[in-house]
Amino acid sequence: MNRLAGQQSGFDLGNTIESKTKGIWMWCVPHPYKEGHTLVLLDTEGLGDVAKGDSKNDSWIFCLAVLLSSTLVYNSRGTIDNTAVEKLHYVAELAENIKIRSTEVADEEEEEEDFKFVQFFPSFTWVVRDFTLELVIEGNRVTEDEYLEFALQLKKGMSKKVSDYNLPRQCIRNYFPSPRKCFVFPSPASPENMTRLESLQERDLVPDFLEVTGRFCDHIFHNSVVKTVKGGHRVTGKLLGHLVKIYVDTINSGKVPCLDNAVVTLANLENQTAVQEALKTYQTGMEKMKNKFPVSVEDITSEHQKFSSLATSEFMKLSFKDEKGEYLKKLKEAIDEYYVGLLQENEMASEKKCRDLLKNLFSDMNKWLQEGKYSQSGGYELYCRDRDTIVEQYRREPNKGVLAEAVLNEFLNERGTEANSILYTDTKLTENDRMFQEEKEKNALLEQKYKEQEEKRMESERMLQAEKERQQDQMRQMQEKFNKELEQQKQEMDRAIESKLKEREEMLKKGFSEKADLLNEEIANLKKEKESSGGLMKEVVMPILGTLAEILPAILNYKVLMKGLKRI
């Protein structure tokens, strides 16, 4: 284990009769060959320590090692004889100590089938220390792996003695996927040096020991896969921390660890974090837009689409098993709520800028009003000319935002009384002139009202189109996510089926036809389950996608309510 970490020392080697390691010790090092991966080494206390009062403790230590690892290395001394296999009786207790499905589901459906463990359990490597024999069986040299398989061979017969002999061997075959590996290590040093192994130099170690150590490390480095939970989701460091706590808390509560329950708990924790991180991605991106307010509808919707897509990508990257779309919906609602706030801020900024602009542009006119410039004969014509010139200046001003026409319309209506007063005090105008000008003023205000409504209509159309494109992007990403998770589940199934096929072939070779028939049934069930997993996409995912597409975006509801427009 220390060599796997690239160190001479680290985990205590225990050079006395007293057991050194208590519980499970963890050592995390960068993977020497896989960039972006961490090699997590778990060193457990020795099983069967006479100093321990509670024998059940060994079972739970072994159970945790199985649940937390992607490669389980079982370490024994001498040879793999019947005594060594019998000491591994903990493997026969796994069916009682680990459940795949929750108790409620298991009670409703048929009894739990332990043959499915092979889908989720780690690969198995047996390491034999201080091996002094020759690898010869019936006069033929064999490999280390063949030696292990020979030791795991089943005996024929129905007696209790045969059943007891076969039980741990059958469990190893049933639970741990093929191929299983074996390494036999000679003693690492001379007897007088065994008490100071940690301080020995490379030249002081037995060459054959170093050769096996090199092969063992290469096997772990290149063949040990990334740890996954049920469903094929890869475990990160943070997830592993959660996983340890879930399993230990379950054991301490007196319950049996359940793979399904652990995945559900992990998924809830990770998906909550995924929503927060994804929302943060959106908020951080959109915050930059706030410094530019007021902006046009095109600008704000374009940025909204861009960062919504990035947020959805971040969510998809961090989440898993959000099969009902519950957390994706929460993200969408949070983004919509934040977006509504931005729309309001943008409108307020637009309104303020437009009002300040009009106030500034009309400042001279207001002064002329007070000086009586428009109270003389012909004042109304002069008033209209100055006002229209200012309106043209206002329209030429860029970057007024989304309420340019609305604020102008409101402003002109507010000054309608003023214009009307000047109209009726202008002595130059006849009654017919006044009636004509009054009608002209009404038409101008109506035209301005139409421009405001047209501005609102175009704004709503752009926002609706942007929301449709956003939903399409979200559905595309969701579809890709579920396809990926489905593929992970199928790979998990393929691994189990391949292992069962190898076991069946071995049973047929050894004449265990009944066990081969049982394996055929297990293989058929696994294949059936693999095919049915594809139906999950149609039964669960597709309705979710349909529901998302039908939801009226919150921002459009906001625009409808705020603007008093009918949905187009």
Side-chain angles (χ1 to χ4, degrees):
M1 290 286 274
N2 291 336
R3 287 303 179 104
L4 285 174
Q7 301 294 326
Q8 181 73 10
S9 61
F11 289 123
D12 201 318
L13 298 183
N15 53 26
T16 69
I17 60 172
E18 182 186 8
S19 175
K20 288 290 184 182
T21 305
K22 300 296 181 185
I24 300 178
W25 288 73
M26 178 186 289
W27 193 355
C28 302
V29 295
H31 198 287
Y33 295 104
K34 298 177 182 177
E35 189 176 348
H37 290 66
T38 297
L39 186 63
V40 180
L41 304 172
L42 303 174
D43 184 26
T44 74
E45 64 182 68
L47 305 181
D49 181 5
V50 294
K52 283 182 289 194
D54 183 10
S55 61
K56 187 65 177 174
N57 185 67
D58 283 345
S59 294
W60 288 127
I61 291 289
F62 186 79
C63 175
L64 280 171
V66 169
L67 289 169
L68 297 175
S69 61
S70 61
T71 299
L72 182 72
V73 180
Y74 180 68
N75 172 23
S76 70
R77 174 175 287 156
T79 61
I80 307 179
D81 55 15
N82 191 44
T83 302
V85 176
E86 284 181 345
K87 283 183 179 178
L88 194 51
H89 62 85
Y90 310 102
V91 75
E93 301 169 7
L94 287 173
E96 297 301 319
N97 291 336
I98 298 174
K99 297 297 179 187
I100 296 176
R101 296 170 297 177
S102 64
T103 306
E104 295 78 6
V105 175
D107 288 342
E108 290 173 7
E109 299 180 11
E110 58 189 70
E111 192 175 344
E112 182 104 35
E113 296 146 320
D114 57 6
F115 74 87
K116 291 184 179 179
F117 281 161
V118 74
Q119 291 177 238
F120 318 114
F121 277 15
S123 60
F124 183 84
T125 298
W126 194 314
V127 165
V128 185
R129 294 176 292 144
D130 303 335
F131 186 78
T132 58
L133 304 177
E134 287 191 47
L135 289 172
V136 176
I137 299 173
E138 297 177 353
N140 299 314
R141 288 200 64 82
V142 294
T143 65
E144 294 158 305
D145 295 345
E146 289 169 338
Y147 171 53
L148 173 60
E149 292 307 309
F150 177 79
L152 296 179
Q153 280 185 0
L154 306 179
K155 283 185 178 180
K156 292 184 178 180
M158 301 296 291
S159 68
K160 184 178 185 305
K161 186 176 180 180
V162 170
S163 295
D164 290 345
Y165 177 89
N166 285 342
L167 180 59
R169 292 166 173 81
Q170 188 67 63
C171 288
I172 291 173
R173 288 179 172 276
N174 279 353
Y175 300 164
F176 298 103
S178 298
R180 292 170 285 272
K181 292 292 294 180
C182 179
F183 293 89
V184 295
F185 287 77
S187 182
S190 60
E192 60 270 18
N193 283 333
M194 287 298 290
T195 57
R196 56 187 193 90
L197 280 176
E198 291 187 7
S199 62
L200 293 181
Q201 299 297 314
E202 191 110 335
R203 62 178 178 272
D204 299 322
L205 298 174
V206 173
D208 286 350
F209 175 82
L210 292 174
E211 186 273 329
V212 180
T213 301
R215 287 193 293 109
F216 170 74
C217 289
D218 282 345
H219 168 71
I220 297 298
F221 292 150
H222 295 102
N223 297 305
S224 186
V225 298
V226 174
K227 170 67 180 172
T228 60
V229 291
K230 183 174 180 285
H233 186 76
R234 290 186 164 201
V235 173
T236 62
K238 184 180 177 184
L239 273 180
L240 183 63
H242 287 317
L243 208 56
V244 172
K245 188 173 189 309
I246 290 166
Y247 287 141
V248 171
D249 287 349
T250 301
I251 291 169
N252 286 338
S253 72
K255 297 178 182 177
V256 175
C258 170
L259 300 183
D260 271 349
N261 289 348
V263 169
V264 168
T265 303
L266 277 182
N268 287 337
L269 289 169
E270 282 300 282
N271 291 340
Q272 287 171 15
T273 301
V275 170
Q276 292 168 1
E277 291 300 315
L279 180 60
K280 191 184 296 182
T281 297
Y282 176 81
Q283 290 174 334
T284 302
M286 293 300 286
E287 278 296 312
K288 298 173 185 176
M289 172 64 66
K290 287 178 68 173
N291 298 328
K292 302 175 183 178
F293 282 173
V295 295
S296 66
V297 175
E298 289 91 341
D299 288 342
I300 197 167
T301 54
S302 174
E303 291 296 285
H304 171 60
Q305 280 180 271
K306 173 184 172 182
F307 290 109
S308 287
S309 181
L310 289 175
T312 302
S313 296
E314 184 69 10
F315 174 81
M316 296 301 175
K317 184 172 71 176
L318 298 175
S319 68
F320 75 103
K321 287 192 77 66
D322 184 25
E323 292 173 350
K324 296 180 180 178
E326 174 187 354
Y327 289 94
L328 182 60
K329 185 180 178 183
K330 285 182 179 179
L331 172 62
K332 186 177 184 305
E333 289 171 350
I335 286 176
D336 284 350
E337 183 179 352
Y338 190 81
Y339 186 36
V340 165
L342 290 179
L343 290 172
Q344 289 174 321
E345 288 183 44
N346 189 45
E347 288 192 349
M348 288 169 62
S350 176
E351 182 176 8
K352 183 178 185 307
K353 182 171 184 177
C354 292
R355 286 196 176 280
D356 288 347
L357 177 60
L358 287 168
K359 182 180 179 181
N360 182 55
L361 290 173
F362 271 86
S363 60
D364 286 341
M365 248 187 109
N366 289 334
K367 185 176 71 173
W368 294 335
L369 270 168
Q370 292 175 356
E371 292 174 352
K373 177 179 178 180
Y374 306 117
S375 300
Q376 58 189 343
S377 178
Y380 181 73
E381 182 181 356
L382 189 60
Y383 174 86
C384 290
R385 187 179 64 209
D386 289 345
R387 181 195 61 190
D388 292 346
T389 299
I390 290 172
V391 168
E392 297 228 355
Q393 284 180 297
Y394 171 83
R395 287 212 167 99
R396 285 197 301 269
E397 189 72 24
N399 306 320
K400 294 188 293 294
V402 295
L403 293 184
E405 295 299 330
V407 171
L408 178 60
N409 180 56
E410 188 177 343
F411 186 83
L412 292 176
N413 273 291
E414 288 172 354
R415 301 196 76 124
T417 305
E418 173 185 279
N420 204 44
S421 174
I422 295 172
L423 173 65
Y424 277 91
T425 56
D426 190 343
T427 56
K428 185 179 178 181
L429 299 175
T430 64
E431 190 63 30
N432 285 338
D433 290 336
R434 290 192 182 95
M435 290 177 63
F436 174 78
Q437 290 297 333
E438 189 175 4
E439 189 65 27
K440 183 180 177 182
E441 189 71 20
K442 286 180 181 178
N443 289 335
L445 290 174
L446 284 173
E447 184 180 349
Q448 179 57 39
K449 181 66 177 176
Y450 172 77
K451 287 180 179 178
E452 178 191 354
Q453 290 176 337
E454 183 66 11
E455 181 183 57
K456 292 175 183 177
R457 185 189 66 79
M458 291 176 67
E459 180 182 346
S460 295
E461 280 186 351
R462 291 189 197 106
M463 296 186 74
L464 179 59
Q465 181 59 34
E467 278 307 298
K468 285 180 179 177
E469 291 173 6
R470 176 191 169 207
Q471 283 189 343
Q472 288 169 358
D473 176 71
Q474 195 173 57
M475 287 188 286
R476 176 188 60 77
Q477 292 196 49
M478 190 176 183
Q479 181 88 57
E480 289 174 357
K481 174 72 171 179
F482 277 95
N483 285 343
K484 181 181 177 182
E485 291 191 351
L486 188 62
E487 183 59 32
Q488 288 173 341
Q489 291 176 26
K490 288 184 176 179
Q491 288 174 1
E492 194 174 68
M493 290 281 190
D494 287 339
R495 177 186 175 217
I497 292 169
E498 183 182 355
S499 179
K500 293 291 180 185
L501 287 169
K502 289 178 180 177
E503 286 297 314
R504 183 188 66 178
E505 185 180 348
E506 184 69 20
M507 290 297 102
L508 286 172
K509 281 182 182 178
K510 300 298 181 182
F512 291 94
S513 57
E514 289 184 4
K515 292 191 180 295
D517 290 341
L518 181 61
L519 283 165
N520 272 333
E521 187 178 333
E522 292 176 0
I523 291 166
N525 286 334
L526 287 170
K527 286 181 176 179
K528 184 178 179 182
E529 190 173 335
K530 177 185 174 183
E531 291 171 3
S532 65
S533 65
L536 173 70
M537 182 66 69
K538 293 179 181 177
E539 294 174 14
V540 179
V541 181
M542 295 308 178
I544 292 172
L545 296 176
T547 302
L548 281 174
E550 291 168 6
I551 295 173
L552 178 65
I555 58 159
L556 291 183
N557 277 327
Y558 161 75
K559 297 304 291 183
V560 169
L561 290 173
M562 292 298 289
K563 300 296 187 181
L565 295 173
K566 292 182 179 179
R567 186 178 174 211
I568 297 171

